[in-house]
Amino acid sequence: MSAAHSEHRGKRRAIIIGGSMSGLFTAAFLRQTGWDADVYERSKIELVGRGAGITTHPELIEALQKSGVDLRDLGITVEKRITLDRSGRVIGEKVLPQILTSWDRLQRLMRATIDDAHYHLGHSFERVEQDGSQVLMHFAGGRRERADLLVGADGIRSSVRAQVAPEIQPIYSGYYIWRGAPKEADLDPSTRSSIFPYFAFYLPERQQVIGYPIAGLDNDLRPGHRRYNFIWYRVADAAELKEMCVDANGQQHEHSVPPPLIRGDLIARMRADASAIMPPQFLDCLRNMQPFFTPIYDFSTPQLVFGRVALVGDAASAARPHMGFGMAKAGADAQELAQMLGRHDDTDRGLAAYNRIRQPIAERIVRHGRKLGAQLGVNLQTAEDQAMWRLLQDYRAMMDWIAVPNFLAATP
Ligand SMILES: Cc1cc2nc3c(=O)[nH]c(=O)nc-3n(C[C@H](O)[C@H](O)[C@H](O)COP(=O)(O)OP(=O)(O)OC[C@H]3O[C@@H](n4cnc5c(N)ncnc54)[C@H](O)[C@@H]3O)c2cc1C
């Protein structure tokens, strides 16, 4: 029996690996086009409390709306951006209304779009076998599942991608961020009045400090109960990063260190460095938060489809976070995949169309992230890199470019 024939006998079935945002978007959109979709997530418990702030974009709002989620109380709207100097004085402003939300909020909204019968926690994907029109997945513990399609939505270190394209590895950018989310109530009244309501920048040489308000725990949006998302970009070469990844027990980690295990001497050094350069409002944030660090990686792949395996979200490509666009890309990847599979009865043609449309966009997003990263002055190889570096030394250019909506329309 031909593949196309067998497909037409019943609903087509997809298995999605990864129960975070891109997995949930993919399940929602595939179901809308008449597919059966099951999500398998390796975490044994519901995903909560990851990361912190998320800037939103029109593409993300559209994906959420089309997934059927209730967008009331999505986040906090800031009306403008400001840049501070070392003394904490505002030296620049730009009116730019934008909704800032949090990873937790988005995850909960999207998790509500799928019932428990189709969302399987505690399942770690191990490998896939393909025989043309079918995929057979193997999970840790011996479970096996058969489907017409496997979607890798399992993040930047995707084990699905590791199997179909092991040569593709995330590339370290040469910089990392210190992050945290102090509670509004713990901040000094002057911090609350001068930066809390805004998307705020402080831009010392080869560094970026950025902050914006987000909901408190349990999506608490009441004044006094919110948090401030704090991000500090700093340069570190691979050797320095390796040293940072030795935890408080002396154990070497590969990519980062769980927050409670970050060494005290590292945090003390970071605080001393901050005291020497930062405006009082951002120092106040640092004093009132548990800091953790995230090294910045990016990559893209020449193809998003490998037979009956498709990649979406961070598994497919991940840009440096200067545009705050990862969630929006996850939603748009999922939407396009489902749309193309809905448009083509022949699954392989649908997958080819998805690849044709989204792969070049993924490349553009990754390139744009690298351009914006030039502000940090790492590995500036071409005249264009140098020109970008010079342009971004002006805080007005940074306010014009960092995490702004609709950047793709302005990018070749
Ligand atoms: C510092 C930083 C700041 C960011 N800021 C923003 C922002 O402001 N706005 C924005 O839109 N985006 C932002 N992003 C990007 C955004 O967080 C990601 O693009 C988004 O989370 C990608 O979602 P995902 O579902 O593709 O992957 P992930 O969220 O990484 O989820 C992958 C899931 O797969 C599961 N998994 C992995 N392996 C297996 C396996 N073998 N079997 C089963 N399950 C598995 C994992 O447990 C995980 O739940 C930021 C990223 C970083 C690093």
Side-chain angles (χ1 to χ4, degrees):
M1 193 185 299
S2 76
H5 188 188
S6 79
E7 280 173 14
H8 286 153
R9 290 178 54 191
K11 261 187 162 183
R12 289 183 283 179
R13 176 164 198 245
I15 298 280
I16 299 160
I17 306 297
S20 174
M21 289 300 288
S22 59
L24 291 169
F25 273 130
T26 306
F29 290 125
L30 279 179
R31 279 199 315 276
Q32 285 175 15
T33 39
W35 280 65
D36 269 337
D38 277 90
V39 172
Y40 287 84
E41 163 59 47
R42 79 176 159 198
S43 168
K44 290 193 175 71
I45 52 165
E46 292 288 347
L47 305 174
V48 282
R50 289 200 187 170
I54 294 290
T55 53
T56 68
H57 291 262
E59 293 91 336
L60 175 61
I61 306 289
E62 182 191 323
L64 291 166
Q65 264 164 346
K66 289 190 171 161
S67 307
V69 307
D70 180 354
L71 285 180
R72 263 174 305 169
D73 296 337
L74 179 61
I76 297 172
T77 303
V78 296
E79 297 299 336
K80 67 176 177 183
R81 297 172 163 214
I82 58 173
T83 301
L84 306 182
D85 69 7
R86 163 80 209 278
S87 72
R89 192 173 58 96
V90 175
I91 52 170
E93 288 192 7
K94 178 185 173 75
V95 172
L96 183 64
Q98 196 164 18
I99 300 173
L100 288 326
T101 184
S102 63
W103 189 91
D104 279 333
R105 178 67 177 149
L106 293 175
Q107 176 73 14
R108 268 194 219 180
L109 285 171
M110 283 307 298
R111 176 66 182 87
T113 65
I114 187 166
D115 57 51
D116 290 349
H118 295 287
Y119 189 82
H120 312 274
L121 289 167
H123 286 81
S124 196
F125 165 87
E126 282 195 332
R127 66 188 174 89
V128 59
E129 291 169 51
Q130 303 201 49
D131 71 356
S133 65
Q134 289 268 298
V135 277
L136 176 64
M137 270 74 60
H138 297 260
F139 292 89
R143 181 167 178 154
R144 295 193 299 176
E145 288 288 332
R146 197 173 277 284
D148 302 291
L149 173 66
L150 166 63
V151 180
D154 52 345
I156 189 165
R157 309 263 163 214
S158 165
S159 16
V160 175
R161 192 186 67 239
Q163 193 180 342
V164 292
E167 70 285 3
I168 304 289
Q169 294 293 334
I171 302 162
Y172 177 52
S173 63
Y175 50 87
Y176 69 97
I177 52 181
W178 281 107
R179 313 162 70 182
K183 290 182 186 148
E184 181 179 8
D186 291 339
L187 296 173
D188 191 87
S190 64
T191 307
R192 293 213 294 266
S193 61
S194 63
I195 68 167
F196 191 87
Y198 307 117
F199 198 120
F201 294 79
Y202 169 61
L203 300 163
E205 201 182 345
R206 300 188 75 197
Q207 301 177 63
Q208 299 173 21
V209 185
I210 295 175
Y212 53 80
I214 57 171
L217 294 176
D218 286 330
N219 199 44
D220 200 334
L221 293 167
R222 291 173 300 160
H225 297 258
R226 300 165 296 183
R227 292 172 296 169
Y228 200 64
N229 190 57
F230 172 97
I231 306 166
W232 178 15
Y233 283 87
R234 305 190 75 190
V235 172
D237 64 21
E240 198 180 331
L241 178 65
K242 191 170 176 196
E243 190 269 334
M244 290 176 68
C245 287
V246 176
D247 74 16
N249 302 322
Q251 195 194 329
Q252 178 78 57
H253 295 253
E254 204 180 342
H255 305 300
S256 195
V257 177
L261 292 180
I262 296 175
R263 293 194 327 266
D265 66 294
L266 205 60
I267 293 181
R269 206 159 73 205
M270 177 273 286
R271 290 193 191 285
D273 291 351
S275 299
I277 61 151
M278 263 190 217
Q281 297 98 318
F282 281 124
L283 281 178
D284 187 30
C285 291
L286 254 178
R287 263 195 306 274
N288 287 293
M289 66 188 219
Q290 185 187 18
F292 63 102
F293 66 89
T294 306
I296 303 301
Y297 291 83
D298 68 5
F299 78 96
S300 60
T301 58
Q303 62 192 96
L304 308 181
V305 172
F306 303 82
R308 286 297 180 92
V309 177
L311 303 174
V312 295
D314 277 16
S317 70
R320 301 179 188 181
H322 305 296
M323 295 85 76
F325 198 68
M327 296 284 190
K329 189 191 86 79
D333 283 352
Q335 230 176 307
E336 199 68 56
L337 176 65
Q339 229 167 52
M340 290 306 114
L341 289 169
R343 194 167 295 171
H344 297 271
D345 280 344
D346 180 334
T347 300
D348 297 306
R349 282 201 185 179
L351 291 172
Y354 165 67
N355 186 64
R356 210 165 38 244
I357 295 168
R358 289 305 293 176
Q359 195 280 337
I361 296 177
E363 297 271 4
R364 268 170 64 198
I365 298 170
V366 170
R367 267 202 312 273
H368 194 66
R370 288 179 186 168
K371 268 193 189 174
L372 297 190
Q375 186 266 356
L376 291 144
V378 178
N379 200 17
L380 305 175
Q381 288 182 337
T382 64
E384 198 190 345
D385 295 342
Q386 299 280 351
M388 202 64 205
W389 178 80
R390 276 192 298 278
L391 175 77
L392 294 175
Q393 298 315 298
D394 183 337
Y395 63 83
R396 286 165 297 200
M398 290 292 282
M399 288 200 291
D400 283 347
W401 279 103
I402 294 299
V404 289
N406 303 316
F407 70 90
L408 270 176
T411 324

